Amino acid sequence: MSAGQLERLGEHLQRLRLFKCHERLEALLQEAVAAELSYADFLDTLLGEEVAAKTAKNVTMRTSLARFPFVKSLEAFDFDYQPSIDRKQLKGLGNCHFIEHGENLVILGPPGVGKTHLAVGLGLKAIEAGYRVLFTTAANMIATLTKAHQEGRLEDKLKFYTVPRLLIIDEIGYLPIDRHGANLFFQLISRRYEKGPMILTSNQSFGAWGEVFGDRIIATAILDRILHHAVTINIRGNSYRLKDKLKAGLVRAEEPATIT
Ligand code: ADP
Ligand code: MG
């Protein structure tokens, strides 16, 4: 191949925005000649690298758009530490069928048991599967909706939380919600009902959601819609933070109840 031809090929690839192909063309051509690859094998390798690069870029972009508080995978979760979680069930959820079917997942448990980690891990699986994901806390979402309501932009903000295929609402129950906040939360849940799957986490059992939302009737209406098509995972165990404290010798293993 002449230098002129290589240059022209490079220009074509740039024009087609096949930047990985452009970057790898010369090296892969040399490899193909040395290994006497068929035309089809060469093309397969070259385009395979482009697809892999574009997919990785897309995942990175959608991960940053998801606004996770941290990025930790399901694979990084230590299921041995939390035996109350059915690891098969959790890994099955990683296949994203619940998203496809528009179902919700509710993760309940005390602080530190890995609710946020699991929600983020599943969110990352959803992104890898090609879905758009948005992470928020209940407090943050309600504050945003309240502000939008005051500024006459409620409709836009409701859309903002309705458009992503998967919405993760973390930390329901950490902060009390006033009646107006509960009403806005209800509106959002109604919008997504039976269309937009959600992952919700809470440190409070469903029975306590009446107090969380400051209104038993609204809490029932919210729960009714969330639980109509939902899987609930109840984590009963020690805070993972205790593990480090145990390791550091700050507490004795027989006193887990004193540290939560
Ligand atoms: P929660 O949301 O239930 O309060 P987090 O998910 O924030 O708990 O977990 C607290 C910290 O401990 C996070 O850094 C998380 O990654 C880690 N963690 C919790 N449980 C596990 C686990 N079983 N394996 C690995 N890391 C864990
Ligand atoms: Mg959390």
Side-chain angles (χ1 to χ4, degrees), residues 67-131:
R67 305 183 180 186
F68 294 124
F70 52 74
V71 176
K72 286 194 183 180
S73 67
L74 271 194
E75 286 72 23
F77 194 82
D78 177 4
F79 286 94
D80 289 336
Y81 188 78
Q82 219 53 266
S84 70
I85 301 174
D86 178 347
R87 80 173 72 194
K88 255 202 191 143
Q89 182 192 23
L90 228 295
K91 292 199 171 150
L93 287 164
N95 292 336
C96 300
H97 294 317
F98 77 102
I99 298 175
E100 217 171 291
H101 298 134
E103 292 169 1
N104 299 320
L105 169 65
V106 187
I107 308 176
L108 302 178
V113 293
K115 300 182 297 298
T116 304
H117 185 145
L118 290 174
V120 169
L122 288 169
L124 287 169
K125 291 280 180 221
I127 287 174
E128 283 165 25
Y131 294 113

Side-chain angles (χ1 to χ4, degrees), residues 115-116 170-171 174:
K115 300 182 297 298
T116 304
D170 201 22
E171 298 186 351
Y174 277 72

Side-chain angles (χ1 to χ4, degrees), residues 38-79:
S38 69
Y39 299 129
D41 282 344
F42 164 73
L43 201 57
D44 191 13
T45 312
L46 184 70
L47 293 182
E49 290 207 15
E50 183 68 45
V51 168
K54 282 207 165 29
T55 306
K57 193 172 162 208
N58 202 278
V59 165
T60 306
M61 194 188 72
R62 276 178 302 120
T63 301
S64 76
L65 286 175
R67 305 183 180 186
F68 294 124
F70 52 74
V71 176
K72 286 194 183 180
S73 67
L74 271 194
E75 286 72 23
F77 194 82
D78 177 4
F79 286 94

Side-chain angles (χ1 to χ4, degrees), residues 206-221:
F206 294 134
W209 282 30
E211 280 144 57
V212 169
F213 287 98
D215 182 315
R216 208 155 276 287
I217 294 172
I218 251 196
T220 306

